[in-house]
Amino acid sequence: MKPATVELIFFIYFFIALTSFSAMVVLARNIINNVFFLLLFLINTAALFLFLKAEFLMAIQIIVYVGGVLALFVFAIMIMNLKEEIKHSKYIKFYSAGLIIGLIFLLIIIYTVKDVTTIGQPLPKPDSVLLGKLLYSYYLLPFEILSVVLLVALVGGILLAKKLPKEEK
Amino acid sequence: MIPLHWYLILSSVIFSIGLIGFIIRRDLIVMLMCLELMFNAVNITFVTFSAFNGNMTGQIFAIFSIGIAASEAAIGLAIVLAIFRNMAIVHSDDIKNLRG
């Protein structure tokens, strides 16, 4: 089945944009440029979610990642005040080993998924009402467990980031 | 529509870039960013299967994954800040207190 031309153009744009932005997150030298490319990557991922008929996840992606996680990264960089970062080498000593491991992993995954098909019907249209009903009925217990996990992360983050009692004096 | 395995190849390419970056970069904050790349690749896979199977469960698991990723980023950055303040280290291969 041959895809429609508009969908093909959008998918090729998403492929090129997502792979190049994620590569630039790894390759950029200045650390604030990494955050900037991560921002572009996350916004393009949100657009891909909308392309895949998941409009609620697009909103969640922008609110949580762009509004929350990225602000955390920017604050951490601001607190750590990394000025001497330019002089040091940015890769570990045996970076070729990491490259080989990653490429082998990629080849194995592509070989596995290269002719996978699905037997289900495609999603007819975006439907947040169904998502909310499912989330609050069948997946209620995992939802509550997720809230407990977030509370533990909040308390743990504060405890780890605050000064120890012997450092304060 | 676009075939299913194109999306899976896109997701695996992003995941591999994140994995390679997590292994080869020295800065702790950039390593955490590469973790976010890997989380997003997996979320793309979840949403793809949700759209191709007509089933909302994939989107719900993507929501759970986003929540876990947010808490992971908070804890990870707190650990990085604690390491930076106690040992003045920002590179992963300088942490060798437990090396024999």
Side-chain angles (χ1 to χ4, degrees), chain A residues 6 92 117 136 154:
Chain A
V6 181
I92 61 168
T117 53
Y136 282 103
L154 175 70

Side-chain angles (χ1 to χ4, degrees), chain A residues 73-141:
Chain A
F73 278 117
V74 174
F75 268 104
I77 291 168
M78 199 172 71
I79 288 172
M80 287 166 72
N81 194 11
L82 304 167
K83 279 198 295 285
E84 75 281 9
E85 198 55 37
I86 307 295
K87 294 195 288 278
H88 295 221
S89 150
K90 59 177 180 163
Y91 302 123
I92 61 168
K93 207 185 301 173
F94 304 107
Y95 64 92
S96 55
L99 277 178
I100 291 169
I101 289 172
L103 289 179
I104 290 173
F105 183 79
L106 177 64
L107 286 180
I108 290 173
I109 284 193
I110 285 180
Y111 180 73
T112 311
V113 304
K114 75 178 186 314
D115 42 25
V116 59
T117 53
T118 176
I119 55 171
Q121 295 298 313
L123 208 60
K125 59 180 172 47
D127 194 3
S128 292
V129 177
L130 187 59
L131 187 70
K133 279 180 183 165
L134 201 57
L135 189 61
Y136 282 103
S137 60
Y138 190 72
Y139 290 100
L140 186 60
L141 184 62

Side-chain angles (χ1 to χ4, degrees), chain A residues 57-73:
Chain A
L57 268 177
M58 180 203 71
I60 290 296
Q61 171 93 3
I62 289 180
I63 290 171
V64 173
Y65 270 112
V66 182
V69 175
L70 215 62
L72 267 181
F73 278 117

Side-chain angles (χ1 to χ4, degrees), chain A residues 26 65 85 89 118 123 167, chain B residues 25-27 36 51 53 86:
Chain A
V26 178
Y65 270 112
E85 198 55 37
S89 150
T118 176
L123 208 60
E167 294 178 315
Chain B
R25 285 297 296 238
R26 293 174 74 222
D27 317 319
E36 300 297 327
N53 280 328
N86 288 327

